[in-house]
Short mmCIF file of all heavy atoms in Angstrom, two decimals:
data_model
loop_
_atom_site.label_atom_id
_atom_site.label_comp_id
_atom_site.label_asym_id
_atom_site.label_seq_id
_atom_site.Cartn_x
_atom_site.Cartn_y
_atom_site.Cartn_z
N MET G 10 -37.59 -15.67 14.26
CA MET G 10 -38.80 -14.84 14.39
C MET G 10 -38.40 -13.36 14.37
O MET G 10 -37.53 -12.93 15.10
CB MET G 10 -39.47 -15.20 15.72
CG MET G 10 -40.93 -14.80 15.78
SD MET G 10 -41.89 -15.55 14.46
CE MET G 10 -42.45 -17.02 15.29
N LEU G 11 -39.03 -12.61 13.51
CA LEU G 11 -38.71 -11.18 13.41
C LEU G 11 -39.75 -10.37 14.17
O LEU G 11 -40.91 -10.75 14.25
CB LEU G 11 -38.72 -10.74 11.95
CG LEU G 11 -37.70 -11.37 11.03
CD1 LEU G 11 -37.86 -10.83 9.63
CD2 LEU G 11 -36.30 -11.10 11.52
N VAL G 12 -39.30 -9.25 14.73
CA VAL G 12 -40.27 -8.34 15.35
C VAL G 12 -40.30 -7.07 14.53
O VAL G 12 -39.39 -6.79 13.75
CB VAL G 12 -39.89 -8.00 16.81
CG1 VAL G 12 -40.06 -9.21 17.67
CG2 VAL G 12 -38.51 -7.45 16.88
N SER G 13 -41.32 -6.29 14.69
CA SER G 13 -41.41 -5.07 13.89
C SER G 13 -40.47 -4.02 14.46
O SER G 13 -40.24 -3.95 15.67
CB SER G 13 -42.84 -4.56 13.90
OG SER G 13 -43.08 -3.92 15.13
N PRO G 14 -39.87 -3.19 13.60
CA PRO G 14 -38.99 -2.13 14.08
C PRO G 14 -39.71 -1.21 15.05
O PRO G 14 -39.09 -0.70 15.99
CB PRO G 14 -38.63 -1.37 12.80
CG PRO G 14 -38.94 -2.28 11.68
CD PRO G 14 -40.01 -3.22 12.14
N ARG G 16 -41.80 -1.97 17.35
CA ARG G 16 -41.77 -2.52 18.71
C ARG G 16 -40.39 -2.33 19.35
O ARG G 16 -40.28 -2.03 20.53
CB ARG G 16 -42.14 -4.00 18.70
CG ARG G 16 -43.65 -4.20 18.65
CD ARG G 16 -43.99 -5.66 18.64
NE ARG G 16 -43.73 -6.31 19.92
CZ ARG G 16 -43.77 -7.63 20.09
NH1 ARG G 16 -44.04 -8.41 19.06
NH2 ARG G 16 -43.52 -8.17 21.26
N LEU G 17 -39.35 -2.50 18.53
CA LEU G 17 -38.00 -2.28 19.07
C LEU G 17 -37.83 -0.82 19.47
O LEU G 17 -37.24 -0.51 20.50
CB LEU G 17 -36.95 -2.66 18.02
CG LEU G 17 -36.74 -4.14 17.73
CD1 LEU G 17 -35.58 -4.31 16.76
CD2 LEU G 17 -36.46 -4.90 19.02
N ARG G 18 -38.36 0.06 18.62
CA ARG G 18 -38.21 1.49 18.90
C ARG G 18 -38.93 1.83 20.19
O ARG G 18 -38.45 2.58 21.03
CB ARG G 18 -38.74 2.31 17.72
CG ARG G 18 -38.01 3.63 17.52
CD ARG G 18 -38.43 4.34 16.25
NE ARG G 18 -38.23 3.52 15.06
CZ ARG G 18 -39.21 3.20 14.21
NH1 ARG G 18 -40.45 3.62 14.42
NH2 ARG G 18 -38.96 2.46 13.15
N ALA G 20 -39.46 -0.10 22.63
CA ALA G 20 -38.73 -0.65 23.77
C ALA G 20 -37.41 0.08 23.99
O ALA G 20 -36.68 -0.21 24.92
CB ALA G 20 -38.48 -2.14 23.55
N ILE G 22 -34.64 0.16 22.07
CA ILE G 22 -33.44 -0.61 21.75
C ILE G 22 -32.54 0.19 20.81
O ILE G 22 -33.02 0.77 19.83
CB ILE G 22 -33.81 -1.93 21.04
CG1 ILE G 22 -34.97 -2.62 21.75
CG2 ILE G 22 -32.59 -2.83 20.92
CD1 ILE G 22 -34.67 -3.09 23.12
N VAL G 23 -31.26 0.23 21.10
CA VAL G 23 -30.30 0.89 20.22
C VAL G 23 -29.75 -0.15 19.24
O VAL G 23 -29.32 -1.23 19.65
CB VAL G 23 -29.14 1.50 21.03
CG1 VAL G 23 -28.05 2.02 20.12
CG2 VAL G 23 -29.67 2.61 21.92
N GLY G 24 -29.79 0.16 17.95
CA GLY G 24 -29.25 -0.74 16.93
C GLY G 24 -27.84 -0.34 16.54
O GLY G 24 -27.35 0.73 16.92
N MET G 25 -27.17 -1.22 15.77
CA MET G 25 -25.78 -0.97 15.36
C MET G 25 -25.62 0.35 14.60
O MET G 25 -24.67 1.10 14.82
CB MET G 25 -25.28 -2.11 14.46
CG MET G 25 -24.92 -3.36 15.20
SD MET G 25 -23.68 -3.08 16.43
CE MET G 25 -22.21 -3.43 15.49
N ASN G 26 -26.54 0.62 13.66
CA ASN G 26 -26.41 1.85 12.87
C ASN G 26 -26.53 3.08 13.75
O ASN G 26 -25.79 4.05 13.60
CB ASN G 26 -27.49 1.90 11.78
CG ASN G 26 -27.23 0.86 10.71
OD1 ASN G 26 -26.09 0.47 10.49
ND2 ASN G 26 -28.29 0.40 10.07
N HIS G 27 -27.46 3.02 14.71
CA HIS G 27 -27.62 4.13 15.63
C HIS G 27 -26.35 4.30 16.47
O HIS G 27 -25.85 5.41 16.66
CB HIS G 27 -28.82 3.89 16.54
CG HIS G 27 -29.13 5.04 17.44
ND1 HIS G 27 -30.01 6.03 17.11
CD2 HIS G 27 -28.65 5.39 18.66
CE1 HIS G 27 -30.07 6.93 18.08
NE2 HIS G 27 -29.25 6.56 19.05
N ASN G 29 -23.29 3.45 15.70
CA ASN G 29 -22.16 3.96 14.91
C ASN G 29 -22.32 5.42 14.55
O ASN G 29 -21.37 6.19 14.61
CB ASN G 29 -22.01 3.13 13.63
CG ASN G 29 -21.55 1.72 13.94
OD1 ASN G 29 -21.06 1.45 15.03
ND2 ASN G 29 -21.74 0.83 12.99
N VAL G 30 -23.54 5.82 14.14
CA VAL G 30 -23.74 7.18 13.65
C VAL G 30 -23.97 8.17 14.79
O VAL G 30 -23.42 9.26 14.79
CB VAL G 30 -24.93 7.21 12.66
CG1 VAL G 30 -25.24 8.64 12.26
CG2 VAL G 30 -24.61 6.37 11.44
N LYS G 31 -24.77 7.76 15.79
CA LYS G 31 -25.17 8.74 16.81
C LYS G 31 -24.35 8.67 18.09
O LYS G 31 -24.28 9.64 18.82
CB LYS G 31 -26.65 8.50 17.17
CG LYS G 31 -27.60 8.69 16.01
CD LYS G 31 -27.88 10.16 15.78
CE LYS G 31 -28.95 10.31 14.71
NZ LYS G 31 -29.17 11.69 14.33
N SER G 97 -5.90 -8.94 20.84
CA SER G 97 -7.32 -8.88 20.55
C SER G 97 -7.96 -10.19 20.97
O SER G 97 -7.33 -11.25 20.92
CB SER G 97 -7.55 -8.68 19.05
OG SER G 97 -7.18 -9.85 18.36
N ARG G 100 -6.36 -13.04 23.33
CA ARG G 100 -5.28 -13.97 22.95
C ARG G 100 -3.97 -13.54 23.59
O ARG G 100 -3.71 -12.37 23.81
CB ARG G 100 -5.12 -13.99 21.43
CG ARG G 100 -6.29 -14.63 20.73
CD ARG G 100 -5.87 -15.20 19.39
NE ARG G 100 -5.19 -14.23 18.58
CZ ARG G 100 -4.36 -14.56 17.60
NH1 ARG G 100 -4.10 -15.82 17.34
NH2 ARG G 100 -3.78 -13.62 16.88
N HIS G 128 9.72 -17.57 25.62
CA HIS G 128 9.21 -17.75 24.26
C HIS G 128 7.88 -17.02 24.08
O HIS G 128 7.63 -16.38 23.07
CB HIS G 128 9.03 -19.23 23.94
CG HIS G 128 8.45 -19.48 22.60
ND1 HIS G 128 7.17 -19.92 22.40
CD2 HIS G 128 8.97 -19.31 21.36
CE1 HIS G 128 6.92 -20.02 21.11
NE2 HIS G 128 7.99 -19.66 20.45
N SER G 135 7.05 -9.93 18.98
CA SER G 135 7.14 -9.96 17.52
C SER G 135 5.77 -9.85 16.86
O SER G 135 5.66 -9.90 15.65
CB SER G 135 7.85 -11.22 17.06
OG SER G 135 7.15 -12.34 17.50
N LEU G 137 2.79 -11.65 17.39
CA LEU G 137 1.99 -12.84 17.09
C LEU G 137 0.53 -12.67 17.51
O LEU G 137 -0.37 -13.18 16.87
CB LEU G 137 2.60 -14.04 17.81
CG LEU G 137 2.01 -15.39 17.41
CD1 LEU G 137 2.28 -15.67 15.95
CD2 LEU G 137 2.57 -16.49 18.28
N GLY G 141 -3.29 -7.47 13.11
CA GLY G 141 -2.51 -7.16 11.93
C GLY G 141 -1.04 -7.50 12.06
O GLY G 141 -0.24 -7.13 11.21
N GLY G 142 -0.69 -8.20 13.14
CA GLY G 142 0.69 -8.65 13.27
C GLY G 142 1.71 -7.56 13.49
O GLY G 142 2.89 -7.74 13.24
N LYS G 194 -14.84 -19.10 26.51
CA LYS G 194 -14.66 -17.70 26.11
C LYS G 194 -15.87 -16.88 26.53
O LYS G 194 -17.00 -17.38 26.51
CB LYS G 194 -14.49 -17.60 24.59
CG LYS G 194 -13.12 -18.08 24.14
CD LYS G 194 -12.97 -17.99 22.64
CE LYS G 194 -11.64 -18.61 22.23
NZ LYS G 194 -11.70 -19.14 20.87
N ASN G 196 -17.63 -14.72 25.10
CA ASN G 196 -18.19 -14.07 23.93
C ASN G 196 -19.64 -14.51 23.77
O ASN G 196 -19.93 -15.69 23.59
CB ASN G 196 -17.37 -14.48 22.71
CG ASN G 196 -17.58 -13.55 21.56
OD1 ASN G 196 -18.66 -12.98 21.43
ND2 ASN G 196 -16.57 -13.38 20.73
N HIS G 198 -22.00 -14.26 21.46
CA HIS G 198 -22.58 -14.94 20.32
C HIS G 198 -21.95 -16.31 20.09
O HIS G 198 -22.36 -17.06 19.22
CB HIS G 198 -22.61 -14.08 19.07
CG HIS G 198 -21.32 -14.02 18.31
ND1 HIS G 198 -20.36 -13.09 18.58
CD2 HIS G 198 -20.86 -14.79 17.30
CE1 HIS G 198 -19.35 -13.29 17.76
NE2 HIS G 198 -19.61 -14.30 16.98
N GLN G 199 -20.95 -16.65 20.94
CA GLN G 199 -20.43 -18.01 20.87
C GLN G 199 -21.06 -18.90 21.93
O GLN G 199 -20.67 -20.05 22.08
CB GLN G 199 -18.92 -18.00 21.06
CG GLN G 199 -18.23 -17.50 19.82
CD GLN G 199 -16.74 -17.48 19.99
OE1 GLN G 199 -16.24 -17.45 21.10
NE2 GLN G 199 -16.03 -17.50 18.89
N GLY G 220 -29.68 -15.80 23.00
CA GLY G 220 -30.94 -15.10 22.81
C GLY G 220 -32.11 -15.66 23.61
O GLY G 220 -33.22 -15.19 23.48
N ARG G 222 -33.76 -16.65 27.44
CA ARG G 222 -33.59 -16.40 28.87
C ARG G 222 -33.31 -17.72 29.58
O ARG G 222 -33.78 -18.77 29.19
CB ARG G 222 -34.88 -15.80 29.44
CG ARG G 222 -35.20 -14.48 28.79
CD ARG G 222 -35.70 -13.47 29.79
NE ARG G 222 -35.82 -12.19 29.10
CZ ARG G 222 -36.98 -11.59 28.87
NH1 ARG G 222 -38.09 -12.14 29.29
NH2 ARG G 222 -37.00 -10.45 28.24
N LEU G 283 -23.59 -4.06 21.68
CA LEU G 283 -24.95 -3.79 22.12
C LEU G 283 -25.61 -4.99 22.80
O LEU G 283 -26.76 -4.93 23.20
CB LEU G 283 -25.79 -3.37 20.91
CG LEU G 283 -25.29 -2.07 20.27
CD1 LEU G 283 -26.01 -1.82 18.96
CD2 LEU G 283 -25.50 -0.90 21.22
N ALA G 284 -24.82 -6.08 22.92
CA ALA G 284 -25.39 -7.29 23.52
C ALA G 284 -25.81 -7.01 24.96
O ALA G 284 -26.66 -7.71 25.51
CB ALA G 284 -24.37 -8.41 23.47
N GLN G 286 -27.69 -4.92 26.06
CA GLN G 286 -29.14 -4.70 26.14
C GLN G 286 -29.87 -6.01 26.29
O GLN G 286 -30.84 -6.12 27.04
CB GLN G 286 -29.64 -3.99 24.87
CG GLN G 286 -29.01 -2.64 24.65
CD GLN G 286 -29.52 -2.01 23.37
OE1 GLN G 286 -30.30 -1.07 23.40
NE2 GLN G 286 -29.10 -2.54 22.23
N VAL G 287 -29.39 -7.02 25.54
CA VAL G 287 -30.04 -8.33 25.62
C VAL G 287 -29.83 -8.92 27.01
O VAL G 287 -30.75 -9.47 27.62
CB VAL G 287 -29.47 -9.26 24.53
CG1 VAL G 287 -30.20 -10.59 24.55
CG2 VAL G 287 -29.61 -8.62 23.15
N GLY G 290 -32.09 -7.27 29.33
CA GLY G 290 -33.50 -7.31 28.99
C GLY G 290 -34.09 -5.92 28.90
O GLY G 290 -35.25 -5.68 29.19
N HIS G 291 -33.26 -4.97 28.48
CA HIS G 291 -33.68 -3.57 28.53
C HIS G 291 -32.94 -2.77 27.46
O HIS G 291 -31.76 -2.99 27.23
CB HIS G 291 -33.34 -3.01 29.92
CG HIS G 291 -34.15 -1.81 30.29
ND1 HIS G 291 -33.87 -0.58 29.80
CD2 HIS G 291 -35.23 -1.67 31.09
CE1 HIS G 291 -34.76 0.29 30.30
NE2 HIS G 291 -35.59 -0.37 31.08
N MET Q 10 -24.63 19.26 15.15
CA MET Q 10 -25.00 17.92 14.69
C MET Q 10 -26.15 17.98 13.69
O MET Q 10 -26.14 17.33 12.67
CB MET Q 10 -25.39 17.04 15.87
CG MET Q 10 -25.08 15.59 15.60
SD MET Q 10 -25.39 14.50 16.96
CE MET Q 10 -27.13 14.27 16.90
N THR Q 14 -26.65 16.90 9.68
CA THR Q 14 -27.80 16.21 9.10
C THR Q 14 -28.34 17.00 7.92
O THR Q 14 -28.66 16.44 6.87
CB THR Q 14 -28.90 16.06 10.16
OG1 THR Q 14 -28.28 15.75 11.39
CG2 THR Q 14 -29.88 14.98 9.78
N ARG Q 340 -24.88 -4.91 4.28
CA ARG Q 340 -24.21 -4.76 5.58
C ARG Q 340 -24.99 -3.85 6.51
O ARG Q 340 -25.13 -4.14 7.69
CB ARG Q 340 -22.79 -4.23 5.39
CG ARG Q 340 -21.86 -5.29 4.81
CD ARG Q 340 -20.50 -4.72 4.56
NE ARG Q 340 -19.78 -4.48 5.78
CZ ARG Q 340 -18.75 -5.23 6.18
NH1 ARG Q 340 -18.34 -6.21 5.44
NH2 ARG Q 340 -18.13 -4.96 7.29
N ASN Q 341 -25.48 -2.72 6.01
CA ASN Q 341 -26.07 -1.74 6.91
C ASN Q 341 -27.57 -1.81 7.04
O ASN Q 341 -28.13 -1.31 7.99
CB ASN Q 341 -25.65 -0.33 6.50
CG ASN Q 341 -24.19 -0.08 6.77
OD1 ASN Q 341 -23.36 -0.71 6.16
ND2 ASN Q 341 -23.89 0.78 7.71
N LEU Q 342 -28.24 -2.37 6.06
CA LEU Q 342 -29.68 -2.48 6.18
C LEU Q 342 -30.10 -3.91 6.55
O LEU Q 342 -31.02 -4.11 7.30
CB LEU Q 342 -30.37 -2.07 4.88
CG LEU Q 342 -30.17 -0.61 4.46
CD1 LEU Q 342 -31.06 -0.26 3.29
CD2 LEU Q 342 -30.45 0.34 5.62
N ASN Q 390 3.82 -20.63 13.92
CA ASN Q 390 3.94 -19.31 14.55
C ASN Q 390 4.76 -18.33 13.73
O ASN Q 390 5.73 -17.75 14.21
CB ASN Q 390 4.57 -19.44 15.96
CG ASN Q 390 3.56 -19.97 16.94
OD1 ASN Q 390 2.37 -20.05 16.62
ND2 ASN Q 390 4.01 -20.33 18.12
N LEU Q 391 4.37 -18.16 12.47
CA LEU Q 391 5.13 -17.23 11.61
C LEU Q 391 4.66 -15.80 11.82
O LEU Q 391 3.56 -15.56 12.29
CB LEU Q 391 4.93 -17.61 10.14
CG LEU Q 391 5.34 -19.01 9.74
CD1 LEU Q 391 5.11 -19.22 8.27
CD2 LEU Q 391 6.81 -19.24 10.08
N LEU Q 392 5.49 -14.86 11.41
CA LEU Q 392 5.11 -13.45 11.45
C LEU Q 392 4.17 -13.17 10.29
O LEU Q 392 4.10 -13.92 9.31
CB LEU Q 392 6.34 -12.57 11.34
CG LEU Q 392 7.24 -12.66 12.56
CD1 LEU Q 392 8.46 -11.80 12.35
CD2 LEU Q 392 6.50 -12.22 13.80
N LEU Q 393 3.48 -12.03 10.41
CA LEU Q 393 2.38 -11.76 9.48
C LEU Q 393 2.79 -11.76 8.01
O LEU Q 393 2.20 -12.47 7.20
CB LEU Q 393 1.72 -10.44 9.83
CG LEU Q 393 0.58 -10.13 8.88
CD1 LEU Q 393 -0.69 -10.82 9.30
CD2 LEU Q 393 0.36 -8.66 8.73
N ARG Q 396 3.85 -14.93 6.56
CA ARG Q 396 2.73 -15.85 6.60
C ARG Q 396 1.80 -15.62 5.41
O ARG Q 396 1.47 -16.54 4.68
CB ARG Q 396 1.97 -15.63 7.91
CG ARG Q 396 1.03 -16.75 8.27
CD ARG Q 396 0.54 -16.53 9.69
NE ARG Q 396 -0.26 -15.32 9.78
CZ ARG Q 396 -0.37 -14.59 10.88
NH1 ARG Q 396 0.28 -14.90 11.97
NH2 ARG Q 396 -1.13 -13.51 10.90
N VAL Q 443 -7.75 -16.78 10.65
CA VAL Q 443 -7.64 -16.09 11.94
C VAL Q 443 -9.00 -16.12 12.64
O VAL Q 443 -9.10 -16.38 13.83
CB VAL Q 443 -7.15 -14.64 11.72
CG1 VAL Q 443 -7.26 -13.85 13.01
CG2 VAL Q 443 -5.72 -14.65 11.23
N GLU Q 446 -9.59 -19.43 14.21
CA GLU Q 446 -8.86 -19.65 15.45
C GLU Q 446 -9.47 -18.84 16.59
O GLU Q 446 -9.54 -19.30 17.72
CB GLU Q 446 -7.39 -19.25 15.28
CG GLU Q 446 -6.62 -20.31 14.52
CD GLU Q 446 -5.29 -19.80 14.04
OE1 GLU Q 446 -4.86 -18.71 14.47
OE2 GLU Q 446 -4.67 -20.49 13.22
N GLU Q 447 -9.88 -17.60 16.27
CA GLU Q 447 -10.33 -16.73 17.35
C GLU Q 447 -11.79 -16.95 17.71
O GLU Q 447 -12.17 -16.87 18.86
CB GLU Q 447 -10.11 -15.26 16.97
CG GLU Q 447 -8.64 -14.91 16.94
CD GLU Q 447 -8.40 -13.45 16.64
OE1 GLU Q 447 -9.39 -12.71 16.44
OE2 GLU Q 447 -7.23 -13.05 16.59
N GLU Q 448 -12.62 -17.18 16.71
CA GLU Q 448 -14.06 -17.22 16.98
C GLU Q 448 -14.68 -18.58 16.70
O GLU Q 448 -15.83 -18.81 17.01
CB GLU Q 448 -14.79 -16.16 16.13
CG GLU Q 448 -14.14 -14.79 16.16
CD GLU Q 448 -14.53 -14.00 17.40
OE1 GLU Q 448 -15.64 -14.21 17.89
OE2 GLU Q 448 -13.70 -13.21 17.87
N GLY Q 449 -13.95 -19.44 16.01
CA GLY Q 449 -14.52 -20.76 15.75
C GLY Q 449 -15.07 -20.90 14.34
O GLY Q 449 -15.30 -19.93 13.65
N ARG Q 451 -17.93 -21.72 13.23
CA ARG Q 451 -19.27 -21.22 12.94
C ARG Q 451 -19.20 -19.84 12.30
O ARG Q 451 -19.87 -19.57 11.30
CB ARG Q 451 -20.05 -21.16 14.26
CG ARG Q 451 -21.55 -21.07 14.06
CD ARG Q 451 -22.28 -21.26 15.38
NE ARG Q 451 -23.48 -20.44 15.41
CZ ARG Q 451 -23.51 -19.22 15.93
NH1 ARG Q 451 -22.43 -18.70 16.47
NH2 ARG Q 451 -24.63 -18.53 15.91
N ASP Q 452 -18.35 -18.98 12.85
CA ASP Q 452 -18.22 -17.62 12.30
C ASP Q 452 -17.66 -17.64 10.89
O ASP Q 452 -18.04 -16.81 10.06
CB ASP Q 452 -17.34 -16.76 13.20
CG ASP Q 452 -18.10 -16.27 14.40
OD1 ASP Q 452 -18.54 -17.13 15.18
OD2 ASP Q 452 -18.26 -15.05 14.55
N GLY Q 498 -25.68 5.80 4.63
CA GLY Q 498 -24.60 6.09 5.55
C GLY Q 498 -25.06 6.85 6.77
O GLY Q 498 -24.44 6.81 7.82
N SER Q 499 -26.17 7.58 6.66
CA SER Q 499 -26.64 8.34 7.82
C SER Q 499 -27.91 7.72 8.39
O SER Q 499 -28.61 8.34 9.17
CB SER Q 499 -26.88 9.79 7.42
OG SER Q 499 -27.85 9.85 6.40
N TYR Q 500 -28.18 6.49 7.97
CA TYR Q 500 -29.38 5.80 8.47
C TYR Q 500 -29.09 5.25 9.86
O TYR Q 500 -28.10 4.58 10.09
CB TYR Q 500 -29.72 4.67 7.50
CG TYR Q 500 -30.74 3.66 8.01
CD1 TYR Q 500 -32.08 3.99 8.05
CD2 TYR Q 500 -30.34 2.41 8.42
CE1 TYR Q 500 -33.01 3.08 8.50
CE2 TYR Q 500 -31.26 1.48 8.87
CZ TYR Q 500 -32.60 1.81 8.91
OH TYR Q 500 -33.51 0.90 9.35
N THR Q 501 -29.96 5.57 10.82
CA THR Q 501 -29.71 5.13 12.19
C THR Q 501 -30.74 4.12 12.66
O THR Q 501 -30.78 3.77 13.83
CB THR Q 501 -29.72 6.32 13.15
OG1 THR Q 501 -31.01 6.95 13.07
CG2 THR Q 501 -28.66 7.33 12.80
N GLY Q 502 -31.57 3.65 11.76
CA GLY Q 502 -32.60 2.68 12.16
C GLY Q 502 -32.03 1.28 12.31
O GLY Q 502 -30.82 1.07 12.22
N TYR Q 503 -32.91 0.33 12.54
CA TYR Q 503 -32.47 -1.04 12.79
C TYR Q 503 -32.09 -1.76 11.50
O TYR Q 503 -32.58 -1.45 10.44
CB TYR Q 503 -33.58 -1.83 13.49
CG TYR Q 503 -33.97 -1.20 14.80
CD1 TYR Q 503 -35.18 -0.54 14.95
CD2 TYR Q 503 -33.11 -1.25 15.88
CE1 TYR Q 503 -35.53 0.05 16.15
CE2 TYR Q 503 -33.45 -0.67 17.08
CZ TYR Q 503 -34.65 -0.01 17.21
OH TYR Q 503 -34.99 0.59 18.39
N ARG Q 504 -31.21 -2.72 11.65
CA ARG Q 504 -30.92 -3.62 10.55
C ARG Q 504 -31.90 -4.78 10.62
O ARG Q 504 -32.39 -5.11 11.70
CB ARG Q 504 -29.49 -4.17 10.66
CG ARG Q 504 -28.47 -3.07 10.62
CD ARG Q 504 -27.08 -3.61 10.93
NE ARG Q 504 -26.12 -2.51 10.90
CZ ARG Q 504 -24.84 -2.64 11.17
NH1 ARG Q 504 -24.36 -3.82 11.48
NH2 ARG Q 504 -24.05 -1.60 11.13
N LEU Q 505 -32.10 -5.41 9.48
CA LEU Q 505 -33.03 -6.54 9.43
C LEU Q 505 -32.62 -7.62 10.45
O LEU Q 505 -33.45 -8.16 11.16
CB LEU Q 505 -33.05 -7.11 8.02
CG LEU Q 505 -34.15 -8.11 7.72
CD1 LEU Q 505 -35.51 -7.45 7.89
CD2 LEU Q 505 -34.02 -8.65 6.30
N GLU Q 507 -31.23 -7.28 13.19
CA GLU Q 507 -31.47 -6.88 14.58
C GLU Q 507 -32.92 -7.11 15.00
O GLU Q 507 -33.22 -7.22 16.18
CB GLU Q 507 -31.09 -5.41 14.77
CG GLU Q 507 -29.59 -5.24 14.78
CD GLU Q 507 -29.16 -3.80 14.79
OE1 GLU Q 507 -29.96 -2.90 14.44
OE2 GLU Q 507 -27.99 -3.56 15.13
N LEU Q 508 -33.80 -7.19 14.01
CA LEU Q 508 -35.19 -7.49 14.35
C LEU Q 508 -35.27 -8.89 14.94
O LEU Q 508 -36.18 -9.22 15.69
CB LEU Q 508 -36.07 -7.39 13.10
CG LEU Q 508 -36.08 -6.03 12.40
CD1 LEU Q 508 -37.05 -6.03 11.25
CD2 LEU Q 508 -36.41 -4.92 13.38
N ARG Q 509 -34.28 -9.70 14.59
CA ARG Q 509 -34.21 -11.06 15.15
C ARG Q 509 -33.38 -11.03 16.43
O ARG Q 509 -33.75 -11.59 17.44
CB ARG Q 509 -33.57 -11.96 14.10
CG ARG Q 509 -33.08 -13.29 14.58
CD ARG Q 509 -34.13 -14.37 14.33
NE ARG Q 509 -33.71 -15.63 14.92
CZ ARG Q 509 -33.78 -15.88 16.23
NH1 ARG Q 509 -34.25 -14.97 17.06
NH2 ARG Q 509 -33.38 -17.03 16.71
N ARG Q 510 -32.24 -10.32 16.37
CA ARG Q 510 -31.30 -10.33 17.48
C ARG Q 510 -31.91 -9.78 18.77
O ARG Q 510 -31.69 -10.32 19.84
CB ARG Q 510 -30.08 -9.48 17.07
CG ARG Q 510 -29.05 -9.36 18.14
CD ARG Q 510 -27.93 -8.43 17.74
NE ARG Q 510 -26.96 -8.34 18.80
CZ ARG Q 510 -26.06 -7.38 18.90
NH1 ARG Q 510 -26.00 -6.44 17.97
NH2 ARG Q 510 -25.22 -7.36 19.90
N PHE Q 511 -32.66 -8.68 18.64
CA PHE Q 511 -33.20 -8.04 19.84
C PHE Q 511 -34.61 -8.52 20.15
O PHE Q 511 -35.27 -7.97 21.03
CB PHE Q 511 -33.18 -6.52 19.68
CG PHE Q 511 -31.79 -5.97 19.63
CD1 PHE Q 511 -31.38 -5.14 18.59
CD2 PHE Q 511 -30.86 -6.27 20.61
CE1 PHE Q 511 -30.10 -4.64 18.54
CE2 PHE Q 511 -29.57 -5.77 20.57
CZ PHE Q 511 -29.20 -4.96 19.53
N GLU Q 512 -35.04 -9.54 19.43
CA GLU Q 512 -36.40 -10.04 19.64
C GLU Q 512 -36.64 -10.44 21.10
O GLU Q 512 -37.70 -10.15 21.65
CB GLU Q 512 -36.65 -11.21 18.67
CG GLU Q 512 -38.06 -11.71 18.63
CD GLU Q 512 -38.19 -13.01 19.42
OE1 GLU Q 512 -37.16 -13.56 19.86
OE2 GLU Q 512 -39.32 -13.43 19.62
N PRO Q 513 -35.65 -11.10 21.79
CA PRO Q 513 -35.90 -11.49 23.19
C PRO Q 513 -36.23 -10.30 24.07
O PRO Q 513 -36.89 -10.46 25.11
CB PRO Q 513 -34.57 -12.13 23.63
CG PRO Q 513 -33.85 -12.46 22.38
CD PRO Q 513 -34.34 -11.55 21.31
N LEU Q 514 -35.80 -9.10 23.69
CA LEU Q 514 -36.01 -7.94 24.53
C LEU Q 514 -37.47 -7.49 24.56
O LEU Q 514 -37.88 -6.80 25.48
CB LEU Q 514 -35.16 -6.78 24.01
CG LEU Q 514 -33.69 -6.87 24.41
CD1 LEU Q 514 -32.89 -5.83 23.68
CD2 LEU Q 514 -33.57 -6.67 25.90
N VAL Q 515 -38.21 -7.80 23.53
CA VAL Q 515 -39.59 -7.36 23.53
C VAL Q 515 -40.54 -8.54 23.65
O VAL Q 515 -41.74 -8.41 23.55
CB VAL Q 515 -39.93 -6.57 22.23
CG1 VAL Q 515 -39.18 -5.27 22.21
CG2 VAL Q 515 -39.62 -7.39 21.00
N ARG Q 516 -39.94 -9.72 23.90
CA ARG Q 516 -40.79 -10.90 24.04
C ARG Q 516 -41.60 -10.75 25.32
O ARG Q 516 -41.04 -10.43 26.38
CB ARG Q 516 -39.92 -12.16 24.11
CG ARG Q 516 -40.70 -13.42 23.80
CD ARG Q 516 -39.82 -14.63 23.94
NE ARG Q 516 -38.73 -14.64 22.96
CZ ARG Q 516 -37.63 -15.36 23.13
NH1 ARG Q 516 -37.45 -16.06 24.23
NH2 ARG Q 516 -36.70 -15.35 22.20
N PRO Q 517 -42.89 -10.94 25.27
CA PRO Q 517 -43.71 -10.74 26.46
C PRO Q 517 -43.38 -11.79 27.54
O PRO Q 517 -43.01 -12.89 27.22
CB PRO Q 517 -45.14 -10.91 25.99
CG PRO Q 517 -45.09 -11.33 24.57
CD PRO Q 517 -43.68 -11.32 24.09
#
Side-chain angles (χ1 to χ4, degrees):
Chain G
M10 200 57 93
L11 297 179
V12 291
S13 77
R16 278 180 70 190
L17 287 185
R18 212 173 302 123
I22 314 295
V23 173
M25 283 303 268
N26 291 332
H27 185 92
N29 292 343
V30 174
K31 298 281 186 186
S97 71
R100 291 206 308 157
H128 178 252
S135 60
L137 190 63
K194 286 179 186 152
N196 198 329
H198 81 271
Q199 285 180 338
R222 298 221 173 113
L283 297 171
Q286 300 179 107
V287 183
H291 202 282
Chain Q
M10 210 176 79
T14 320
R340 288 176 72 108
N341 290 65
L342 297 189
N390 284 350
L391 301 181
L392 292 178
L393 180 83
R396 196 170 65 208
V443 170
E446 283 166 11
E447 290 183 359
E448 313 278 330
R451 198 170 146 267
D452 281 62
S499 60
Y500 167 76
T501 60
Y503 301 108
R504 299 172 181 178
L505 191 61
E507 286 173 342
L508 301 184
R509 165 96 186 76
R510 178 185 180 198
F511 293 127
E512 188 258 352
L514 281 171
V515 293
R516 199 183 295 160

